[in-house]
Amino acid sequence: MQATFTPICLGIGLAALLDDPAGYRRAAALLASTAALPVIAVAIACLIVLAPPDIAGAPRLGFQLLSTALIGAVVLRPTAPMVRVLEGRVVARVGVVSYGMYLYHLLALHIAAPAVGRAVGPSEPVIFLFTAVLAYGLAEISFKLMEQPILRASRRFVAPGNRAAAALSAEA
């Protein structure tokens, strides 16, 4: 069974590490160099190319650890060229609807795999692409029909002076 708790825990661990001054210094020493981002990106690319079709176990953990390191390197070097890519409109929009993509990706996969299999045969890259596009579409629909109305309605419950909560509900 595939589980998503490991990357969530790694993200929490990274946030805790960067929140602690000593942890921040240690992480910065390792991840804030100009070489860190490209080296991590190349390592991820190599893992993607060389990993077996079933990435259970060590390959998955390696990808998750490298992804966490990549996020840490981006946070620690906000002026790096890769940051401009991550701040682009497409990536930013995926970030807005990413929770829906997380919720709907398995549904999208269960639709994509048999549809792609019937149309072009068992092609993992095509299944991945179709799943990603379908999950994004479902997430956009969910965002517009469910999340935005809930966020708008939540404005009624924001305490006066709570700027953070007001800003979150204003994004809806």
Side-chain angles (χ1 to χ4, degrees):
M1 175 173 172
Q2 296 182 16
T4 57
F5 64 85
T6 303
I8 292 170
C9 290
L10 289 170
I12 292 167
L14 177 63
L17 179 73
L18 295 178
D19 189 51
D20 175 65
Y24 185 93
R25 283 191 300 278
R26 283 192 289 272
L30 186 63
L31 300 172
S33 72
T34 56
L37 271 170
V39 166
I40 296 167
V42 166
I44 289 172
C46 288
L47 186 59
I48 289 170
V49 170
L50 299 174
D54 178 8
I55 64 163
R60 177 179 290 133
L61 181 59
F63 181 76
Q64 293 166 342
L65 289 168
L66 286 168
S67 296
T68 304
L70 183 71
I71 292 166
V74 166
V75 167
L76 292 164
R77 268 189 78 76
T79 59
M82 182 181 278
V83 174
R84 283 192 288 270
V85 172
L86 296 173
E87 291 175 339
R89 291 180 60 207
V90 172
V91 175
R93 186 62 194 172
V94 167
V96 169
V97 300
S98 62
Y99 183 66
M101 291 183 74
Y102 164 74
L103 290 177
Y104 299 119
H105 77 279
L106 285 178
L107 173 63
L109 176 61
H110 288 292
I111 293 168
V116 169
R118 282 191 299 273
V120 297
S123 170
E124 294 295 324
V126 176
I127 291 171
F128 173 81
L129 183 61
F130 190 66
T131 299
V133 169
L134 184 57
Y136 174 79
L138 291 169
E140 279 289 351
I141 292 167
S142 175
F143 186 76
K144 287 180 181 7
L145 296 180
M146 289 191 287
E147 291 180 57
Q148 282 186 321
I150 291 169
L151 289 169
R152 281 192 295 273
S154 73
R155 290 182 190 146
R156 294 185 299 217
F157 303 103
V158 174
N162 188 342
R163 288 188 209 160
L168 284 175
S169 67
E171 290 178 6

